[in-house]
């Protein structure tokens, strides 16, 4: 990888998220519901904003429980947002009826994490890849469908397509399965694609080629792409921009190389220094963060990271820092920079 | 001092479709206080090796050939009773894969560690075992009072720590850690790796760390063994292997890992996928994916040869040069 030509990113904003929130109510026992005064919520996503342009790969990274998966699902309206707006090509999709949403599904697709679970074992590759065309009634002519399926399988290098059309998922290797998942997502020529950890279930030896494929598909079809991951080392190789989430809040957002080489937020710094380095001679960083991510039911006051932050100050306990632009395109939510 | 010397270990699993040749003539050794990383893609036989050392293979698995010399004695010649009473946990213990599921959810963490102690050291009283458990928990950084908690009350990182405590319960000389970092977040993973590193130095433990992630091995181990489709293909000092890998597979595997610190470089995949072990390819098992495959590779299995002190490789390319 290490694409010299980063590919074209258009000016056109495809997805714009404003102050998005998703709070899941906590189910209490019957008696507790009667006695407790307030309702409790898991604040999975708590007021985040960003936008993704055409042809851009936007990485959303963080530890488990940071809200990155919930964000992805909310953008697809697989779960309903509690508050905030999601603009797709300038139109707020949070208010749309399910029937209107179904029309939009042609434009918005998802690639799942586990290629062993996300392909129906009883369907042939042909049926799996052509299903979006049939369900959304984009194409009805069988010949045309077949041509389209073959073309997309060529694109994802599951070749020769004729040999794979009538096979079942169990006959394919993990990498091939994920290629089929990618073909299914791109067959409708979508404008926005979400991928939730698309390579984490694959063997290391083939991760690079799948990421390469995703990269070239995004640039070829000029989709806006949300790449959700916990692996910063891999994210760095495909993403144009990376945002770091912690307990439902966005802590930092910057173009990839800036975020990796000049991280500003103490959490980003900790996250980067915790990534193991495949070099036995590399110097190991001495400090690691203490503890684990707190519960999102009762997140810490002020800056959510202050309980683990090596540089926490008085103000961090009291006031929530805003995400502000410090340098060109480099946003950070930390009191050290205000 | 060589603590563990494995010679030509061969393990097959019987299945209805024939034997799965999971490990073929694997040889390596681990010295006292040394950490060996065992790496390779899934299905290459890493875990099989670990289970064979402890002789806890699942039904159908059997050790067909070889020797496992631990402190000079052959473990494969011991009776099941001797294995349980003298070797497992006291000599060699294991941190099992999957911190999330390796503990029994219906017993408290303390109970499970006490059970491990009392199973292997019959003369220890319950109270003594409990005291020891408290010390162990403290050693791995868990508040000893949490002895009576159930696994679901622990976070992922704490469960992994509890498993480490359990592995140390009977003062073993060798600990096998099977994928100790997977399923954990990077920060917690870094904490666990640091803990393992610290304990290794403090207790002068020998360690075998099984991982598919070379970067985790690079952070902890002194030696590296690379496996492919049941064969050990290269073995040696980790710094040397990273700098001058001799086997094409080792080279490809190292190149498949992105580094966050180094400047961005081409990340390469290894085309194809590992072979089906029911029906492995003839000759070198890596030849269908190897860039340098020759006629000889298709016909003859390369032997593991020692190129220099403590550096072994099984590849016809290296044999040809000599």
């Amino acid at each position: 990888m290490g694409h010299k030509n980063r590919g074209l990113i258009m000016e056109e904003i495809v997805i714009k998220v404003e102050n998005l929130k998703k709070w899941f109510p906590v189910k209490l026992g019957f008696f507790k519901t009667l006695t407790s005064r307030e309702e409790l919520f898991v604040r999975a996503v708590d007021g985040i904003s960003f936008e993704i342009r055409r042809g851009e790969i936007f990485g959303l990274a963080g530890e488990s429980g940071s809200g990155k998966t919930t964000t992805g699902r909310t953008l697809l309206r697989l779960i309903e947002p509690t508050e905030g707006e999601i603009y797709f090509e300038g139109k707020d999709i949070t208010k749309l009826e399910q029937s209107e949403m179904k029309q939009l599904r042609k434009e918005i697709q998802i690639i799942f994490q586990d290629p062993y679970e996300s392909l129906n074992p009883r369907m042939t590759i042909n049926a799996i890849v052509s299903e979006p065309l049939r369900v959304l009634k984009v194409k009805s002519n069988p010949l045309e469908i077949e041509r389209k399926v073959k073309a997309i399988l060529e694109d994802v290098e599951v070749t020769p397509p004729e040999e794979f059309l009538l096979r079942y998922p169990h006959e394919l290797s993990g990498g091939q399965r994920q290629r089929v998942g990618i073909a299914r997502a791109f067959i409708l020529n979508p404008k926005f694609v979400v991928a939730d950890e698309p390579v984490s279930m694959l063997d290391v030896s083939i991760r690079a080629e799948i990421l390469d494929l995703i990269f070239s598909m995004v640039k070829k079809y000029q989709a806006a792409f949300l790449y959700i991951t916990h692996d910063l080392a891999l994210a760095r190789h495909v993403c144009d921009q990376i945002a770091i989430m912690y307990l439902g809040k966005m802590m930092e957002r910057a173009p990839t190389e800036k975020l990796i080489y000049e991280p500003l937020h103490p959490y980003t710094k900790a996250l980067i220094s915790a990534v193991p380095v495949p070099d036995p001679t590399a110097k190991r960083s001495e400090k690691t963060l203490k503890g684990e991510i707190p519960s999102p039911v009762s997140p810490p006051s002020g800056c959510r990271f202050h309980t683990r932050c090596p540089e926490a100050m008085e103000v961090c306990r009291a006031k929530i820092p805003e995400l502000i632009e410090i340098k060109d395109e480099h946003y950070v939510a930390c009191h050290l920079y205000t | 001092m060589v603590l563990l010397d494995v010679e030509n270990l061969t393990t097959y699993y019987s299945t209805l479709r024939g034997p799965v040749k999971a490990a073929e003539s694997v040889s390596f050794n681990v010295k006292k206080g040394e950490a060996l990383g065992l790496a390779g893609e899934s299905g290459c036989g890493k875990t099989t090796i670990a289970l064979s050392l402890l002789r806890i293979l699942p039904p159908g698995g059997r050790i067909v050939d070889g020797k496992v010399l631990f402190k000079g004695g052959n473990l494969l010649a011991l009776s099941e009773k001797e294995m349980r009473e003298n070797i497992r946990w006291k000599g060699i213990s294991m941190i099992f894969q999957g911190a999330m599921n390796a503990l029994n959810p219906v017993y408290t963490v303390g109970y499970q560690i006490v059970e491990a102690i009392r199973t292997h050291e019959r003369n220890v009283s319950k109270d003594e075992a409990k005291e020891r458990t408290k010390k162990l928990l403290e050693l791995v950084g868990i508040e000893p009072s949490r002895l009576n908690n159930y696994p679901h009350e622990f976070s992922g990182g704490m469960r992994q720590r509890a498993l480490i405590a359990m592995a140390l319960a009977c003062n073993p000389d060798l600990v096998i850690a099977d994928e100790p970092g997977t399923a954990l977040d990077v920060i917690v993973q870094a904490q666990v790796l640091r803990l393992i590193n610290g304990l290794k130095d403090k207790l002068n433990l020998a360690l075998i760390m099984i991982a598919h992630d070379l970067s985790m091995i690079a952070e902890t181990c002194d030696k590296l063994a690379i496996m492919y489709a049941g064969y050990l293909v290269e073995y040696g000092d980790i710094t040397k292997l990273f700098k001058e890998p001799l086997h094409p597979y080792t080279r490809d595997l190292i190149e498949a890992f992105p580094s966050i610190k180094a400047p961005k470089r081409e990340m390469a995949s290894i085309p194809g996928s590992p072979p089906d072990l029911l029906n492995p390819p003839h000759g070198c098992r890596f030849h269908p994916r190897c860039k340098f495959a020759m006629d000889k590779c298709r016909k003859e299995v390369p032997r593991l040869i020692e190129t220099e002190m403590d550096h072994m490789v099984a590849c016809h390319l290296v044999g040809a040069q000599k």
Side-chain angles (χ1 to χ4, degrees):
Chain A
M1 249 177 283
H3 309 269
K4 277 185 200 79
N5 180 7
R6 288 302 302 172
L8 215 50
I9 300 172
M10 303 298 203
E11 276 304 299
E12 185 188 333
I13 292 170
V14 178
I15 279 282
K16 186 174 163 78
V17 174
E18 264 176 29
N19 193 30
L20 185 71
K21 285 185 185 172
K22 177 65 197 177
W23 292 12
F24 294 101
V26 177
K27 287 207 178 79
L28 297 170
F30 174 69
F31 190 67
K32 269 202 178 141
T33 321
L34 292 181
T35 52
S36 80
R37 247 165 273 143
E38 51 185 342
E39 261 188 288
L40 289 176
F41 291 96
V42 173
R43 301 173 187 200
V45 179
D46 205 8
I48 63 169
S49 310
F50 60 92
E51 71 251 342
I52 310 177
R53 290 164 207 281
R54 229 180 119 188
E56 180 181 42
I57 304 181
F58 187 92
L60 202 56
E63 291 174 270
S64 37
S66 62
K68 49 193 198 305
T69 296
T70 307
T71 305
R73 299 193 161 229
T74 314
L75 290 188
L76 295 166
R77 280 193 64 196
L78 294 177
I79 42 184
E80 298 296 328
T82 309
E83 218 183 289
E85 288 89 46
I86 303 163
Y87 296 99
F88 174 72
E89 299 196 307
K91 192 159 106 194
D92 184 5
I93 62 168
T94 55
K95 311 279 185 309
L96 292 184
E97 296 290 325
Q98 280 304 333
S99 58
E100 294 171 282
M101 207 48 218
K102 192 166 176 186
Q103 285 309 305
L104 264 180
R105 300 258 176 241
K106 288 174 199 160
E107 320 271 10
I108 303 179
Q109 288 290 320
I110 183 167
I111 299 168
F112 293 98
Q113 175 174 16
D114 190 345
Y116 296 87
E117 300 277 332
S118 61
L119 303 179
N120 187 334
R122 303 179 57 165
M123 283 165 79
T124 60
I125 302 306
N126 183 33
I128 290 168
V129 178
S130 65
E131 196 178 22
L133 296 174
R134 287 180 284 117
V135 169
L136 296 169
K137 301 189 176 67
V138 178
K139 294 254 170 2
S140 53
N141 181 342
L143 279 175
E144 220 177 323
I145 290 182
E146 196 183 314
R147 216 187 50 226
K148 189 108 188 170
V149 170
K150 278 185 185 163
I152 199 88
L153 286 178
E154 291 273 0
D155 271 346
V156 297
E157 291 158 39
V158 176
T159 48
E162 295 78 17
E163 249 181 55
F164 286 91
L165 285 179
L166 294 177
R167 290 211 213 169
Y168 287 89
H170 76 264
E171 298 172 74
L172 271 54
S173 70
Q176 286 172 329
R177 284 182 222 207
Q178 196 58 304
R179 286 168 186 273
V180 169
I182 294 169
R184 173 174 64 184
F186 277 94
I187 196 163
L188 292 166
N189 197 0
K191 296 202 170 107
F192 176 50
V193 181
V194 173
D196 194 348
E197 303 272 15
V199 297
S200 69
M201 300 297 289
L202 302 176
D203 243 317
V204 279
S205 64
I206 51 168
R207 279 182 192 170
E209 65 182 43
I210 298 296
L211 284 179
D212 257 346
L213 175 69
I214 287 177
F215 186 86
S216 59
M217 293 295 276
V218 172
K219 300 301 174 187
K220 180 174 178 185
Y221 287 89
Q222 283 290 303
F225 197 87
L226 181 68
Y227 179 84
I228 298 169
T229 184
H230 70 281
D231 190 334
L232 273 175
L234 282 179
R236 176 189 173 201
H237 281 266
V238 274
C239 296
D240 299 303
Q241 206 178 157
I242 297 179
I244 304 288
M245 280 186 79
Y246 185 76
L247 274 179
K249 290 272 187 202
M250 203 172 269
M251 307 309 251
E252 185 163 2
R253 166 155 73 95
T256 304
E257 291 302 287
K258 264 194 201 162
L259 188 103
I260 300 292
Y261 281 114
E262 302 154 38
L264 294 174
H265 201 288
Y267 178 60
T268 316
K269 288 179 189 165
L271 209 54
I272 291 172
S273 77
V275 176
V277 187
D279 176 5
T281 56
K283 256 184 72 192
R284 308 282 168 238
S285 63
E286 281 309 307
K287 48 176 196 270
T288 35
L289 285 183
K290 292 248 179 332
E292 289 172 46
I293 197 163
S295 157
V297 178
S298 47
S301 64
C303 172
R304 299 203 166 169
F305 185 57
H306 86 251
T307 50
R308 297 167 81 192
C309 183
E311 303 185 56
M313 306 172 288
E314 258 328 298
V315 58
C316 304
R317 279 174 261 277
K319 209 171 131 217
I320 299 177
E322 293 286 322
L323 189 72
I324 47 170
E325 190 169 3
I326 300 281
K327 291 181 211 156
D328 211 18
E329 297 272 296
H330 197 146
Y331 296 80
V332 64
C334 179
H335 288 306
L336 286 173
Y337 302 96
T338 48
Chain B
M1 186 193 123
V2 175
L3 184 69
L4 178 82
D5 195 3
V6 178
E7 281 174 31
N8 295 321
L9 184 66
T10 303
T11 301
Y12 292 169
Y13 292 103
S14 347
T15 66
L16 288 176
R17 295 195 291 151
V20 173
K21 298 167 179 173
E24 289 261 23
S25 308
V26 173
S27 307
F28 61 88
N29 64 58
V30 184
K31 298 187 183 69
K32 212 169 165 23
E34 187 180 71
L36 169 77
L38 202 54
E41 289 168 87
S42 26
C44 71
K46 311 180 290 267
T47 302
T48 299
I49 293 290
L51 300 179
S52 301
L53 297 183
L54 281 165
R55 287 182 40 200
I56 47 173
L57 288 161
R62 69 205 149 88
I63 298 165
V64 183
D65 194 18
K67 274 189 199 150
V68 178
L69 300 168
F70 180 68
K71 292 181 173 173
N74 187 2
L75 297 188
L76 303 185
L78 295 182
S79 72
E80 183 54 29
K81 187 163 172 244
E82 286 170 311
M83 262 319 271
R84 186 174 62 238
E85 287 182 0
N86 302 326
I87 303 299
R88 285 183 206 137
W89 244 246
K90 279 190 204 158
I92 308 175
S93 70
M94 185 155 173
I95 303 167
F96 286 94
Q97 191 171 2
M100 295 314 202
N101 310 316
L103 291 164
N104 189 332
V106 299
Y107 293 107
T108 62
V109 172
Y111 177 90
Q112 295 183 56
I113 299 178
V114 167
E115 186 191 25
I117 296 173
R118 303 215 333 136
T119 309
H120 299 282
E121 293 182 28
R122 304 218 160 232
N123 51 356
V124 175
S125 77
K126 232 179 205 168
D127 289 333
E128 268 177 87
K130 216 166 191 176
E131 273 315 301
R132 221 154 97 188
T133 304
K134 280 187 186 159
K135 286 215 183 76
L136 284 165
L137 289 179
E138 213 172 335
L139 186 69
V140 297
I142 298 176
E143 178 59 37
S145 61
R146 305 215 39 188
L147 186 77
N148 294 322
N149 282 149
Y150 286 90
H152 78 266
E153 295 170 281
F154 275 22
S155 67
M158 285 169 73
R159 279 183 236 181
Q160 186 69 68
R161 281 166 195 269
L163 281 175
I164 294 172
M166 194 190 281
L168 298 175
C170 301
N171 300 314
D173 299 297
L174 172 69
V175 174
I176 303 172
D178 193 358
E179 300 277 5
T182 35
L184 297 176
D185 275 313
V186 266
I187 290 181
V188 181
Q189 184 182 310
Q191 293 167 351
V192 167
L193 284 186
R194 166 158 313 174
L195 174 70
I196 292 178
N197 263 338
L199 290 172
K200 191 187 82 186
D201 294 343
K202 201 161 147 194
L203 308 172
N204 196 23
L205 284 174
L207 177 76
I208 297 181
M209 182 148 124
I210 299 175
H212 69 275
D213 188 338
L214 275 179
S215 49
M216 270 172 52
I217 289 179
E219 301 243 331
T220 6
C221 297
D222 316 307
K223 290 276 177 66
L224 174 63
I226 305 275
M227 287 191 72
Y228 184 78
Y231 279 94
L232 192 77
V233 296
E234 192 163 1
Y235 165 78
D237 177 71
I238 189 160
T239 328
K240 193 179 263 165
L241 245 63
F242 265 83
K243 223 163 97 197
E244 293 161 8
L246 291 175
H247 200 286
Y249 181 65
T250 313
R251 205 172 309 157
D252 287 354
L253 202 61
I254 290 170
E255 268 169 26
F257 275 90
S259 169
I260 201 160
K261 300 264 160 65
K264 215 158 161 174
R265 62 168 163 81
E266 296 284 320
M267 218 171 87
S269 280
I270 310 172
S273 46
D276 177 6
L277 293 181
L278 272 168
N279 194 6
H282 280 289
C284 172
R285 287 190 179 174
F286 186 57
H287 87 253
R289 298 171 81 185
C290 183
K291 280 178 268 190
F292 308 102
M294 309 173 287
D295 257 349
K296 196 177 179 191
C297 306
R298 285 177 258 276
K299 290 179 195 129
E300 233 176 276
V301 180
R303 280 189 324 129
L304 199 63
I305 51 170
E306 192 157 13
T307 55
E308 52 194 302
M309 184 67 179
D310 269 345
H311 190 163
M312 316 242 271
V313 63
C315 178
H316 288 309
L317 281 176
V318 179
Q321 280 163 10
K322 272 200 135 181

